[in-house]
Amino acid sequence: MPIRVLLVDDQPLLRTGFRFILEAEQDVTVVGEAGDGATAMEQSRALLPDVVLMDIRMPGMDGIEATRRIVREASASAHVPKVLVLTTFDLDEYIVEALRAGASGFLLKDVPPDDLVQAIRVVAGGEAIVAPSVTRRLLDRFATRLPSAQERAVPARLDRLTERELEVLQLIAKGMSNAEIAAKLVVSETTVKTHVGNVLTKLSLRDRVQAVVLAYETGLITPGARS
């Protein structure tokens, strides 16, 4: 089955360009378009896309709030679309908020066509399109926008993890790949993949990017800290 994509951007010309690129691929189909967040929510509910290509800055309901509502609403059903955020700037301050809202990654609007298509495939497959190391740089830069100590998620949430799983979460949050984690812990990559899967499942996280954000929010990783 082709990957079903919903295009959300307040610029019709941009939506047309993205549609032209995506519909040239046999494994991707554009099921709808929206010019604002409210319409995106309605379209997502009606069309059940696999991936929502979401602009951040739009009139009315912006892309961050739309992402938050789409992910939250979809979580109560069997179909949860992946949200891939579009931005104009590489380190847009809104990216942090978008990731916390549930986005699975972000792309620049001037992304090369091949990279756009590949990103959609990656996100549709359940992976994050933002490397954890990039996410850390974003979180470090905009740490003041993260919750204060009083607002952070209850650290007890991490009690669901074993000691080794907690260690793996810390290494994920430091931007390490499975291979790097395996070398660090002197175990196989298969073992690491199992631990990563357990971490995501136990903490109800969609991907490694969400794991990095959670590590910051619970105080497991301090903004600016390095391994």
Side-chain angles (χ1 to χ4, degrees):
M1 295 291 291
I3 300 169
R4 298 166 57 82
V5 178
L6 172 62
L7 302 177
V8 184
D9 196 292
D10 62 339
Q11 299 181 48
L13 189 59
L14 256 179
R15 297 201 305 269
T16 299
F18 286 137
R19 177 184 283 273
F20 180 79
I21 292 170
L22 297 178
E23 292 192 334
E25 303 297 323
Q26 293 186 343
D27 62 338
V28 179
T29 182
V30 177
V31 295
E33 299 181 16
D36 57 70
T39 304
M41 283 187 60
E42 296 173 1
Q43 293 282 63
S44 179
R45 191 181 302 124
L47 301 174
L48 301 179
D50 299 309
V51 177
V52 179
L53 204 56
M54 178 78 75
D55 185 22
I56 286 185
R57 297 172 180 175
M58 297 182 291
M61 184 188 299
D62 64 19
I64 295 174
E65 182 60 25
T67 295
R68 181 178 295 109
R69 295 191 186 189
I70 287 173
V71 172
R72 183 174 58 202
E73 183 177 293
S75 295
S77 67
H79 184 84
V80 182
K82 304 294 184 181
V83 179
L84 191 53
V85 170
L86 294 168
T87 181
T88 306
F89 305 104
D90 192 14
L91 289 179
D92 191 317
E93 63 179 357
Y94 294 104
I95 291 301
V96 175
E97 295 181 36
L99 292 174
R100 291 183 58 219
S104 293
F106 74 93
L107 289 175
L108 296 179
K109 284 191 175 182
D110 59 356
V111 61
D114 288 346
D115 290 350
L116 171 65
V117 175
Q118 182 59 24
I120 287 175
R121 289 174 180 146
V122 169
V123 170
E127 298 296 327
I129 201 60
V130 186
S133 58
V134 175
T135 305
R136 283 203 74 206
R137 290 203 302 273
L138 286 165
L139 289 169
D140 283 350
R141 175 165 178 171
F142 301 111
T144 57
R145 304 184 68 87
L146 293 173
S148 64
Q150 292 75 23
E151 297 172 322
R152 285 176 181 160
V154 181
R157 178 180 180 184
L158 300 180
D159 287 346
R160 306 171 192 174
L161 305 181
T162 65
E163 183 176 345
R164 177 46 63 90
E165 289 166 353
L166 185 62
E167 188 175 9
V168 168
L169 174 57
Q170 290 176 308
L171 297 178
I172 290 173
K174 291 176 180 177
M176 298 178 71
S177 67
N178 285 351
E180 291 170 332
I181 294 175
K184 173 77 173 179
L185 301 181
V186 194
V187 297
S188 69
E189 282 193 55
T190 299
T191 298
V192 172
K193 289 180 181 178
T194 298
H195 287 317
V196 172
N198 289 340
V199 168
L200 299 182
T201 298
K202 288 183 178 181
L203 299 179
S204 300
L205 303 173
R206 282 172 294 278
D207 49 47
R208 296 169 76 102
V209 170
Q210 293 293 305
V212 175
V213 174
L214 178 68
Y216 272 82
E217 292 183 325
T218 58
L220 188 63
I221 291 293
T222 303
R226 290 291 179 269
S227 54

